[in-house]
Amino acid sequence: MPEKYTTPYPARRIYSDGRAEETEVLLARECPVKLVLDEKAFTTLFASPLELKELAVGHLITEGVLNFIDIARVNVEGNEVHVRTKKESQLSQNKGSDEQVFVDSEILFEPEAVFASTAYLESDTYKLTRGTHLAALIDKEGKLAIQIVDVGRHNAVDKAVGAAFLQGLDISKHYMLSTGRQPAYMVTKAARAGVPLVATKAMPFDSGVEAAKKANLCLVGQLRQESMLIFANEWRVKTSRN
């Protein structure tokens, strides 16, 4: 399905030895996605043009706007996603520096289960375009449950979270794999959804480490087949030290 994420574009390739040639490359597609909440325009996201229902649900959850149980129905109309909430639901205004996010889970992961996720780091779309991010949810055995590709690292996380809730997946028993860097904003999105561990091939920011510590979330960076760096709540990964 990579062709649905891409579009061909002409380009001129220039070589260091002076040669030039006309070529065609595949670029990752991006489109504006309008999110309408209870018949009122809520926001516009720029994302890959697939999994729009998952994007809307995940975005509302990871931004702390709604809990999944508050959502009555979700309809996709072209590039618009209409979300209706239950009458008794209350939209959260609890976003900002004073917000306290805490992952209420005591789950532990074997190192082998985390290392196993390196097999899922590259998607076919990324290999074609070198212009997309990936987010995945992986269980305690290191088996892939959900894998999402998007032009934005934050969109990929939103879509993975949305897919998990729509499929009835217990997100507290899975960890999230991300190809993106992890500032506080990204870590907090995962924590709001109840993700107990985030692993990335990139390096986190200092703000991401501090946010993970406060949220009871384990943050793994520079994930490779042979090693990983644990920056916060290392007790979630079983080692001889714990």
Side-chain angles (χ1 to χ4, degrees), residues 33-188:
V33 181
K34 185 177 180 181
L35 177 52
V36 181
L37 184 58
D38 287 332
E39 300 184 351
K40 295 181 180 179
F42 181 74
T43 190
T44 298
L45 305 170
F46 286 83
S48 298
L50 293 174
E51 296 101 7
L52 302 189
K53 180 183 291 188
E54 289 82 354
L55 174 65
V57 171
H59 184 77
L60 292 171
I61 292 171
T62 64
E63 290 296 310
V65 179
L66 288 173
N67 294 315
F68 184 65
I69 59 173
D70 297 320
I71 298 175
R73 65 178 183 272
V74 185
N75 297 318
V76 178
E77 301 175 8
N79 285 355
E80 289 190 2
V81 187
H82 295 257
V83 179
R84 293 299 300 266
T85 60
K86 297 174 183 177
K87 292 182 178 180
E88 63 273 16
S89 70
Q90 295 290 324
L91 299 187
S92 174
Q93 302 298 322
N94 188 29
K95 292 194 294 180
S97 59
D98 295 332
E99 180 188 6
Q100 296 298 315
V101 180
F102 188 84
V103 178
D104 186 15
S105 169
E106 299 300 317
I107 193 169
L108 304 179
F109 296 93
E110 297 285 351
E112 294 77 14
V114 180
F115 283 125
S117 66
T118 57
Y120 313 125
L121 275 169
E122 284 196 1
S123 67
D124 292 340
T125 305
Y126 177 78
K127 292 175 183 177
L128 289 171
T129 66
R130 301 293 171 178
T132 56
H133 278 285
L134 176 149
L137 288 168
I138 300 165
D139 68 16
K140 284 188 65 175
E141 284 69 48
K143 296 179 180 178
L144 182 67
I146 289 171
Q147 186 185 61
I148 296 285
V149 171
D150 197 274
V151 290
R153 58 183 178 175
H154 49 289
N155 294 334
V157 167
D158 286 348
K159 288 181 176 182
V161 169
F165 279 91
L166 288 168
Q167 295 176 27
L169 190 74
D170 186 348
I171 208 166
S172 69
K173 295 181 179 179
H174 295 72
Y175 69 90
M176 179 170 287
L177 175 69
S178 171
T179 57
R181 294 174 294 173
Q182 298 294 312
Y185 172 63
M186 289 286 288
V187 170
T188 303

Side-chain angles (χ1 to χ4, degrees), residues 3-47:
E3 65 278 1
K4 294 185 178 181
Y5 291 91
T6 63
T7 186
Y9 265 83
R12 184 172 176 81
R13 189 184 302 277
I14 305 295
Y15 294 92
S16 58
D17 62 6
R19 291 181 297 122
E21 65 181 16
E22 303 302 321
T23 187
E24 185 177 82
V25 297
L26 290 175
L27 299 182
R29 293 177 61 198
E30 180 186 55
C31 70
V33 181
K34 185 177 180 181
L35 177 52
V36 181
L37 184 58
D38 287 332
E39 300 184 351
K40 295 181 180 179
F42 181 74
T43 190
T44 298
L45 305 170
F46 286 83

Side-chain angles (χ1 to χ4, degrees), residues 189-200:
K189 285 174 77 69
R192 286 194 188 107
V195 175
L197 184 152
V198 173
T200 175

Side-chain angles (χ1 to χ4, degrees), residues 225-241:
Q225 290 182 340
E226 68 280 358
S227 68
M228 63 177 125
L229 293 172
I230 304 180
F231 290 93
N233 294 298
E234 64 179 40
W235 59 269
R236 286 200 187 274
V237 179
K238 295 180 182 179
T239 65
S240 58
R241 292 176 57 184

